[in-house]
Amino acid sequence: MTKDSNKAWNRVDSDLSSYNIRQYETKYRSTDFVIKCLKEELHSDASYNILDVGTGGGGNLSYIAQEFPHCSFLGIDINKYFIDMAIAKHNELDISNTDFKSLDFRDIETEYDIVGSSQFLEVLDMEKAFSFINKCFGSSKTGVYFQALFTERDLDYEINIHDKKYYKVVPYNIYSIKSINKIANSYGFILKQKKRFIIDVDLPDTHEGRGTYTIKDDKGIRMMFSDVLNLPWYFLYYEKNSTNLKET
């Protein structure tokens, strides 16, 4: 098994298929969380051109796009099978402000008002992840957002799950917010919003392998896990800093 994250995602298996189908059947609380965070940054009547990287089958984007009808969205993914699913599903749902393209993020050549991703950064192998972070800031005119696994400390965690059920290596990397801030600053962006995702329902541990469940800490706050791995989900939004002030 290889650590190249493209090998885990540029394929069609029951793991990926069921996940992408479920996103259309049930609106995830993490999707509501991203929408709520974006509403704090995007004016309801603004017409932003937004790139959604790692869009998969387009389920997550279907909800976001309908909340921001004046914006135009392009969803990209390396997996053509799921891009075709996204096109078909959005046509079926009559969502008119989205388009999709099978494209590796490294081949992005156009600038967008906003570049964002949901649950994508953490599943890239680390070499690609830092290339992706730089590409996001280099391709954005106004804002960049990530919903991914982060830590407040100056530590990056490289975690590779060797999934024996689906015979693939799946990264679940956790990145330092401080490290992202430094990269953002070098492109003239500053951190505008940082929110931790705390889920409000109990999720049972019924999974044979990877899959999210919750445990309450001694204060009654739910922590999200996949097997033994704690999942610290955050939303980060970076804004182009016109005054060119640098964060310390």
Side-chain angles (χ1 to χ4, degrees):
M1 289 189 281
T2 177
K3 292 183 181 180
D4 178 3
S5 56
N6 282 3
K7 301 294 184 182
W9 306 119
N10 196 14
R11 59 190 281 173
V12 180
D13 58 26
S14 59
D15 176 37
L16 294 177
S17 294
S18 61
Y19 174 75
N20 280 280
I21 291 169
R22 283 198 310 272
Q23 284 194 312
Y24 284 101
E25 294 173 342
T26 304
K27 186 181 183 184
Y28 284 23
R29 279 171 164 77
S30 58
T31 301
D32 277 328
F33 170 68
V34 170
I35 290 170
K36 183 178 180 180
C37 291
L38 284 174
K39 283 184 174 180
E40 293 187 23
E41 306 300 335
L42 309 186
H43 302 297
S44 59
D45 58 348
S47 299
Y48 296 105
N49 182 14
I50 302 175
L51 179 67
D52 181 53
V53 187
T55 199
N60 189 61
L61 185 56
S62 71
Y63 301 105
I64 295 173
Q66 291 179 85
E67 292 287 340
F68 300 96
H70 299 291
C71 295
S72 60
F73 295 85
L74 174 63
I76 66 170
D77 201 283
I78 60 170
N79 194 315
K80 187 177 184 305
Y81 177 88
F82 291 110
I83 286 294
D84 289 343
M85 172 191 286
I87 293 170
K89 284 288 190 181
H90 282 234
N91 285 337
E92 181 183 322
L93 294 168
D94 198 26
I95 301 172
S96 60
N97 61 332
T98 58
D99 198 1
F100 295 93
K101 186 175 183 180
S102 179
L103 185 72
D104 191 305
F105 75 82
R106 292 170 292 189
D107 297 323
I108 296 170
E109 296 180 347
T110 305
E111 281 192 326
Y112 299 85
D113 294 325
I114 297 169
V115 178
S117 63
S118 299
Q119 299 186 22
F120 177 68
L121 174 61
E122 75 283 350
V123 297
L124 291 172
D125 60 75
M126 193 160 278
E127 181 179 348
K128 289 189 187 71
F130 283 105
S131 175
F132 170 63
I133 293 165
N134 279 275
K135 177 66 81 169
C136 287
F137 290 113
S139 302
S140 172
K141 301 175 185 176
T142 304
V144 172
Y145 68 87
F146 306 101
Q147 186 222 352
L149 301 175
F150 292 107
T151 175
E152 304 269 1
R153 300 189 179 188
D154 202 7
L155 300 167
D156 294 319
Y157 294 86
E158 186 172 13
I159 302 167
N160 291 294
I161 299 175
H162 291 250
D163 190 323
K164 306 297 177 60
K165 182 176 181 180
Y166 297 103
Y167 199 71
K168 58 186 178 181
V169 178
V170 181
Y172 267 44
N173 296 329
I174 303 172
Y175 293 94
S176 168
I177 296 173
K178 292 180 180 179
S179 295
I180 310 293
N181 289 348
K182 290 175 183 177
I183 297 172
N185 288 174
S186 72
Y187 286 90
F189 287 78
I190 58 171
L191 181 61
K192 178 82 181 306
Q193 183 184 163
K194 176 184 69 178
K195 280 192 172 62
R196 179 81 182 264
F197 175 50
I198 305 297
I199 197 167
D200 60 353
V201 294
D202 296 321
L203 301 177
D205 184 10
T206 58
H207 311 283
E208 293 181 6
R210 291 178 295 112
T212 302
Y213 66 95
T214 57
I215 296 175
K216 288 184 180 179
D217 65 12
D218 56 3
K219 296 180 180 179
I221 297 173
R222 295 176 182 87
M223 300 182 294
M224 300 175 72
F225 283 82
S226 180
D227 192 29
V228 298
L229 179 64
N230 184 28
L231 304 175
W233 294 107
Y234 281 80
F235 177 91
L236 306 180
Y237 188 90
Y238 292 88
E239 185 175 74
K240 191 80 169 182
N241 185 11
S242 58
T243 62
N244 291 320
L245 295 175
K246 303 293 184 180
E247 286 184 333
T248 57

